[in-house]
């Protein structure tokens, strides 16, 4: 097992090195930035020919409304509403330790809320340093989600809080001090790292939980519904369950997390590959009213659905430093690869390393309006 862990780290590290070595030999001159009509400061993009402002603003407003609504209901379900004990999910690690998923769900709510503020700044200041500094809290929420999963459903130690604070502080300062285009590239790349990481860890959780459920693991803590109800409310469990959502059964709600993370990474990939194409910007905005209402829907399902026979368990992969490192390295390599295809579009053909890059560049540029 240790050999496999070391091998996975080495392979993922090799993927990072391979992607970095494939970057063009010469970095392109930075494109001319547009000026935000509101702040009068430079944005993080050049003029996008053919972009319809009314269409874009329509997408912006719809994203703002859906993320705001999703954040509001998620905060209510996870932090304000008193959740019956028998609807609480529990993370279980490989050692059998269990921790309630209440903190995880609350972080999901904060994740949606931080996305709402990012969408608001997007409308006011366009994609710019202002958005980057606020968007760091969106990424910090993604980091916190990953830490909770890596640590068995809880914040493991004070070092985790230090890591979250250190990341937020250092990333915000890097964006503030880096000059164009390195500020934008840094924000884009580090954000893609967390977006890819969420897809990977949610995939691992689904695989692990489904495998455990198929094995019909015994020994779950039985429901004690009587402890959660007043004397005059002590209905049968079946009668109580009829009031709960029937759309999914535990643990099918985990697929909602995965689908939401996939839509989010698809939107970020499209706006990266098609940065100068109106359709890329529209597609990116169109994924927000899908991804974050889905995250909100997950918090509803996880705080309301129940398992008739046993306590709800979400099984986590075995905690190993090598596995965590491999996930980080694979996420970094995929983020670097995504950013690489943005950069090659701005580099002259003579500085590209392969004919494949030249063909990819020609293909991506073919989407630009003539």
């Amino acid at each position: 097992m240790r050999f496999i862990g070391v091998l996975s780290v080495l392979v993922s590290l090799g993927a990072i090195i391979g992607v970095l070595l494939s970057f063009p030999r010469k970095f392109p001159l930075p494109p001319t930035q547009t000026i935000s009509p509101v702040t009068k400061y430079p944005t993080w993009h050049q003029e996008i020919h053919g972009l319809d402002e009314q269409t874009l603003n329509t997408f912006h407003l719809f994203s703002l409304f859906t993320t705001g609504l999703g954040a509001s209901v998620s905060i209510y379900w996870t932090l304000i509403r008193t959740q019956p004990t028998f609807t609480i999910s529990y993370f279980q690690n490989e050692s059998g330790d269990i921790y309630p998923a209440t903190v995880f769900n609350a972080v999901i709510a904060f994740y949606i809320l931080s996305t709402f503020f990012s969408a608001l700044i997007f409308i006011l200041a366009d994609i710019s340093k202002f958005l980057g500094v606020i968007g760091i809290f969106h990424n910090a929420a993604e980091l916190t989600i990953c830490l909770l999963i890596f640590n068995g459903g809880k914040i493991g130690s004070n070092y985790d809080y230090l890591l979250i604070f250190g990341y937020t502080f250092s990333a915000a300062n890097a964006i503030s001090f880096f000059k164009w285009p390195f500020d934008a590239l840094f924000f884009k790349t580090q954000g893609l790292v967390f977006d890819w990481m969420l897809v990977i860890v949610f995939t691992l959780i689904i695989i692990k939980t489904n495998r455990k459920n198929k094995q019909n693991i015994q020994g779950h803590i039985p429901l004690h519904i009587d402890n959660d109800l007043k004397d005059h409310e002590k209905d049968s469990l079946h009668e109580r369950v009829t009031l709960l959502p029937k759309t999914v059964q535990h643990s099918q709600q985990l697929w909602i997390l995965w689908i939401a993370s996939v839509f989010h990474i698809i939107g970020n990939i499209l706006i990266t590959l098609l940065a100068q194409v109106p359709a890329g910007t529209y597609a990116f905005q169109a994924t927000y009213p899908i991804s974050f209402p889905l995250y909100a829907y997950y918090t509803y399902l996880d705080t309301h659905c129940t398992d008739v026979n046993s306590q709800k368990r979400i099984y986590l992969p075995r905690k190993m430093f090598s596995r965590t490192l491999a996930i980080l390295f694979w996420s970094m390599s995929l983020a670097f690869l995504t950013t690489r295809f943005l950069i090659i579009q701005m580099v002259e053909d003579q500085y590209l390393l392969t004919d494949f890059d030249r063909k990819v560049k020609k293909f991506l540029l073919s989407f630009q309006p003539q």
Side-chain angles (χ1 to χ4, degrees), residues 77-281:
W77 289 327
T78 61
L79 295 174
I80 299 176
R81 170 182 174 268
T82 301
Q83 184 177 352
T85 303
F86 64 91
T87 63
I88 297 176
S89 295
Y90 289 83
F91 288 114
Q92 179 172 322
N93 59 25
E94 195 70 18
S95 301
D97 301 323
I98 62 170
Y99 298 94
T102 49
V103 174
F104 178 83
N105 290 336
V107 173
I108 292 289
F110 175 77
Y111 180 39
I112 304 170
L113 180 64
S114 63
T115 305
F116 165 76
F117 285 112
S118 296
L120 179 62
I121 296 299
F122 198 160
I123 293 177
L124 298 177
D126 207 325
I127 304 177
S128 61
K129 283 183 180 289
F130 290 142
L131 173 63
V133 172
I134 299 300
I136 286 300
F137 292 96
H138 167 95
N139 299 140
E142 294 174 326
L143 171 61
T144 306
I145 291 170
C146 292
L147 286 175
L148 285 168
I149 293 172
F150 292 148
N151 290 315
K154 62 183 179 66
I155 296 296
S157 66
N158 290 332
Y159 292 108
D160 291 332
Y161 292 107
L162 183 62
L163 177 60
I164 296 169
F165 173 79
Y167 159 75
T168 306
F169 180 81
S170 59
N173 278 277
I175 291 170
S176 300
F177 288 108
F178 284 174
K179 301 300 182 183
W180 167 258
F182 299 105
D183 50 358
L185 287 175
F186 171 79
F187 177 75
K188 168 61 68 176
T189 305
Q190 59 87 35
L192 284 167
V193 171
F194 294 118
D195 293 337
W196 279 112
M197 192 178 296
L198 285 183
V199 175
I200 294 173
V201 296
F202 289 157
T203 301
L204 293 176
I205 289 176
I206 290 173
I207 293 173
K208 183 72 171 184
T209 301
N210 287 344
R211 184 181 300 165
K212 284 288 188 179
N213 287 340
K214 288 180 180 179
Q215 294 173 353
N216 295 319
I217 299 298
Q218 300 299 319
H220 290 182
I221 301 173
L223 295 173
H224 296 291
I225 192 170
D226 286 354
N227 295 334
D228 304 317
L229 302 174
K230 298 178 180 178
D231 290 338
H232 66 279
E233 295 176 330
K234 291 183 178 179
D235 310 340
S236 69
L237 178 59
H238 174 74
E239 291 172 338
R240 293 291 295 175
V241 169
T242 59
L243 301 176
L244 302 174
K246 300 179 181 179
T247 51
V248 300
Q249 295 178 344
H250 179 77
S251 59
Q252 294 173 340
Q253 78 273 16
L254 297 176
W255 283 101
I256 303 296
L257 287 177
W258 185 83
I259 294 171
S261 65
V262 167
F263 269 102
H264 188 46
I265 191 63
I266 288 175
N268 275 287
I269 290 173
L270 289 176
I271 198 173
T272 303
L273 300 186
L274 304 176
Q276 298 306 310
V277 181
T281 302

Side-chain angles (χ1 to χ4, degrees), residues 259-312:
I259 294 171
S261 65
V262 167
F263 269 102
H264 188 46
I265 191 63
I266 288 175
N268 275 287
I269 290 173
L270 289 176
I271 198 173
T272 303
L273 300 186
L274 304 176
Q276 298 306 310
V277 181
T281 302
Y282 299 153
F284 171 71
Q285 287 296 322
T287 60
Y288 271 61
I290 300 174
S291 294
F292 293 96
L294 280 177
Y295 277 117
Y297 184 47
Y298 169 81
T299 63
Y300 165 73
L301 291 176
D302 197 64
T303 55
H304 288 74
C305 72
T306 186
D307 189 331
V308 173
N309 297 316
S310 61
Q311 188 184 70
K312 294 158 53 181

